[in-house]
Amino acid sequence: MATIKDKDPRFQNLEFKAGVMLMVAIAGIALLVLLLGIERDLFTKKFTLKFIADSGSGINKGMPVKLSGFKVGRVSRVELIDGARVRVTTVISRKYSEYLREGVRVYITKEGYIGDPYVDIAVGDLDAPLLSDGDTMSFHTKNGMEQLINEAKPALAEIKEIIHYINDPEGDIKIILGNLKEISGKLEQTRAAITETTRDAGKTVKRIDRLVERVDVKIDPVIESAARVFAGVESMTGKMESVIDRLDTVSRDIVTITHKLPSTVTRVDSILDDVKLLSSTLGKGAPEIMDVIRNGNETLSESKELITGIKTSWPVRLFLPKKNVPHLVPLDSFSIKQGAVVSEQK
Amino acid sequence: MNNTVSKNFSFVITAAFLFLSFSLFTGCAAKRSGTEGVSYPHLRATQARGAGIKAFSKNNPPLALKSFKAALKIDRSIDDKESEVLDLINLARVSIASGDLSGAGSYLNSAIKTGLDAGNEERLGAAYVTLAKVDFLAGRSVPALSHIKESIRLDEKSGFKSGAALNLFGSILLEAGRTKEARSVFESALKLNTESNDRLEEANSYRSLGHLSTIEKKYDKAARFYSQAYTLDKKAGTSRKIALDLTSLASILIRQGFLFEATYKLERSYTVNINSGRYLEAIANLTLLVDTFDRLGNAERVNYFTRLKGTLIKSYESGKAQQRTESR
């Protein structure tokens, strides 16, 4: 008896049809894998380069590595090493190796200030030797809000120190200003005294001149020598006058500087007033700010407890990556003994 | 009836499937996170070691010693030789910081013996470099040299390069009067520390090159090296080194005849030292200030700093006397 298999044409060549379907599916999957592989650079030759950072914060496995804005690789490993520093291993496509030479600089940077972080390689000297597999690149920090804040902190501290230094009534600046005022006053007096002396010398010379006119013409040689002496005196007077002129100019300059300095000090004072105003405004708002900070701290503390609880609970803790902890206290190669060596040499 | 049995059967099969899948999944995750095989004592020892490192970084050597001793006790009880070596090295490094060189030496000898007995050379480089520092501080230059060489050899064997070890090697060579070799080692250390982004050791390399240039009477070069060390130390905020860099810069300026500029650096060094509670260094700064102002012929400043020095010596001695009374 003929079954439905024999009667229904759909069952004819069923094995062949199933085989074709299977082949097409396998070919499709293989093509998909191939395309994904090409897309993810799975089939390109690669090599590893390393760098060492102070902290692993913001560096993750799989993070893109870019060269001149082009993705050239990814972070393959992040590990903690001696001295609590972090060694980062990157895998780079071999085709970009010609740009990676000794002297390249590595940064952790972001798309803008709050974008996704990535490892940025800045090309160095193109005539330097090529980096080879396993070489270490030099790591530097740039950009990022934290970096900006950290850079601003010492500058602000130094500005505060400078303002304090300038404003210190016992400080060098105030003392120098006082001294300059005193010196300019004294110079003014000295200039007046020298002018007076020169005027007197001029008068004396004129009197001697008149006396000489009365002396007998018979003593010509004496007169001639006296004339030479007077000529010398006159030329000395001329030189004295040029010195006095110069002193006069210097004195005027010092007076100008002395006049300008108080206005500078006034400007610094006004800056200080602004700082004081800002402090007092902050002081007035302090209770509210303190409340906000206290509430923020409590919220943070509770959130921290909650997160710690979640992190330590089963099964969440099983999914979390193992935390790397430093094993050794860092060794500082410097010892005070070396400082003492130099001190003894002084 | 049959329907009920079938439903129950489906439920049991589904539950079993879900359980098996979950077990497999969590098993894989556990394997991935490396939490399998970690015993409770091992975890406690790791925690104690972490607490010790934290205490040391917070400048609390007594607590650090206590924590490392606790870790050592646990590691010995579970026969974890590798961790035992780590604990002993940590104990030695804290002992050095506390000035106990003989204690540090015995911890390190024990660490080396334990590492060799267990056939584990991985951490011995760290043990030898620490031992070299102990020898260097104790003035034993011959063993210091042999231990630092052994440390560098072991590190190279395990593919590791330590800028700190090179800096120490250079210092040992410098003390032995081998200035040419010392310079080459310091320069290698500087390159390595810059590349590895180790700012603390980079500053140490610059300072050491400054010392070396001072010995060679190349004062311009020395001033440049000290300035670079000072810049890095200022960023790191290590007050002792900041003060030392300033004093070293002042000493160079004095040698170059810039006495007035030197007094400025010395005053800053004094301020750093006095604010960090280092009275002896502050007194040394004042002595130099008095000498320099004396050479400048500034009697007013000489009197001022002489008075300040006298007051400081008095308060330092009374503080010490009080400490002695309290200890009794």
Side-chain angles (χ1 to χ4, degrees), chain A residues 66-346:
Chain A
K66 292 187 178 181
L67 176 76
S68 303
F70 284 83
K71 191 187 165 196
V72 295
R74 63 187 169 77
V75 172
S76 64
R77 199 173 176 195
V78 183
E79 60 192 319
L80 207 61
I81 58 167
D82 270 0
R85 281 169 298 125
V86 177
R87 179 161 51 214
V88 182
T89 309
T90 61
V91 179
I92 312 279
S93 292
R94 179 66 75 182
K95 61 184 172 184
Y96 300 110
S97 65
E98 63 178 298
Y99 304 113
L100 300 171
R101 292 166 186 270
E102 279 180 18
V104 293
R105 294 156 76 91
V106 181
Y107 303 92
I108 300 297
T109 189
K110 286 180 179 175
E111 306 280 3
Y113 279 119
I114 50 168
D116 289 329
Y118 64 90
V119 176
D120 186 26
I121 301 178
V123 179
D125 182 7
L126 288 174
D127 295 326
L130 285 169
L131 287 173
S132 53
D133 192 34
D135 276 356
T136 303
M137 300 180 283
S138 171
F139 175 73
H140 300 264
T141 49
K142 75 165 185 184
N143 287 338
M145 291 301 281
E146 282 174 26
Q147 176 70 14
L148 284 175
I149 292 164
N150 284 340
E151 277 176 10
K153 268 184 193 168
L156 284 172
E158 283 191 14
I159 289 169
K160 197 177 159 191
E161 202 180 312
I162 290 164
I163 291 173
H164 177 72
Y165 181 65
I166 292 170
N167 204 38
D168 184 4
E170 299 294 315
D172 291 346
I173 299 279
K174 294 266 174 167
I175 290 169
I176 288 167
L177 278 174
N179 288 344
L180 271 174
K181 267 185 188 171
E182 204 179 315
I183 289 166
S184 70
K186 281 179 183 169
L187 270 172
E188 200 53 43
Q189 284 170 12
T190 313
R191 187 184 66 86
I194 292 171
T195 314
E196 189 68 26
T197 312
T198 319
R199 208 177 294 130
D200 290 349
K203 282 177 190 169
T204 312
V205 169
K206 278 174 190 167
R207 270 184 222 147
I208 293 168
D209 222 9
R210 272 183 236 129
L211 272 171
V212 169
E213 277 173 10
R214 290 177 204 163
V215 176
D216 200 338
V217 285
K218 284 179 187 175
I219 47 168
D220 276 350
V222 178
I223 292 165
E224 273 171 25
S225 67
R228 275 201 296 277
V229 171
F230 290 132
V233 170
E234 272 180 1
S235 77
M236 280 279 285
T237 316
K239 279 177 192 168
M240 283 282 279
E241 274 170 2
S242 76
V243 172
I244 289 160
D245 283 346
R246 266 187 239 165
L247 271 171
D248 204 13
T249 318
V250 172
S251 164
R252 242 177 279 129
D253 287 349
I254 289 170
V255 170
T256 318
I257 292 165
T258 321
H259 284 312
K260 278 182 187 171
L261 275 169
S263 71
T264 313
V265 174
T266 315
R267 254 182 265 161
V268 172
D269 279 344
S270 72
I271 293 168
L272 279 170
D273 286 343
D274 288 347
V275 173
K276 277 178 195 164
L277 186 67
L278 184 66
S279 314
S280 76
T281 314
L282 280 172
K284 280 174 197 162
E288 287 86 355
I289 293 167
M290 285 308 289
D291 277 349
V292 171
I293 292 169
R294 205 175 298 119
N295 287 339
N297 277 342
E298 278 170 16
T299 315
L300 270 175
S301 163
E302 281 169 14
S303 310
K304 204 176 165 186
E305 275 175 29
L306 185 69
I307 290 166
T308 312
I310 293 168
K311 276 165 88 177
T312 50
S313 66
W314 187 87
V316 176
R317 70 165 186 255
L318 302 175
F319 297 94
L320 294 172
K322 195 179 172 187
K323 200 176 172 185
N324 283 319
V325 283
H327 298 298
L328 278 173
V329 165
L331 179 79
D332 186 355
S333 69
F334 176 77
S335 44
I336 295 307
K337 189 183 172 190
Q338 288 162 267
V341 169
V342 168
S343 302
E344 282 158 19
Q345 288 160 0
K346 280 171 202 154

Side-chain angles (χ1 to χ4, degrees), chain B residues 216-243:
Chain B
E216 291 176 338
K217 297 192 190 323
K218 293 173 183 167
Y219 299 131
D220 287 340
K221 233 177 174 183
R224 275 202 302 278
F225 285 132
Y226 282 133
S227 298
Q228 277 160 316
Y230 171 65
T231 309
L232 289 169
D233 286 333
K234 221 165 70 160
K235 276 184 192 167
T238 44
S239 67
R240 184 185 288 270
K241 291 180 180 176
I242 291 171

Side-chain angles (χ1 to χ4, degrees), chain A residues 343 346, chain B residues 247 254 263 266-267 269-270 273 279-295 301-302 304-310 312-313:
Chain A
S343 302
K346 280 171 202 154
Chain B
T247 312
I254 290 170
T263 59
L266 284 171
E267 281 186 52
S269 178
Y270 164 75
N273 277 326
Y279 292 101
L280 286 175
E281 284 88 339
I283 291 166
N285 288 142
L286 290 176
T287 308
L288 261 175
L289 272 167
V290 170
D291 287 349
T292 315
F293 275 118
D294 192 30
R295 283 171 68 183
R301 301 300 278 170
V302 169
Y304 172 73
F305 284 116
T306 310
R307 274 201 309 276
L308 193 61
K309 188 181 158 186
L312 193 60
I313 290 171

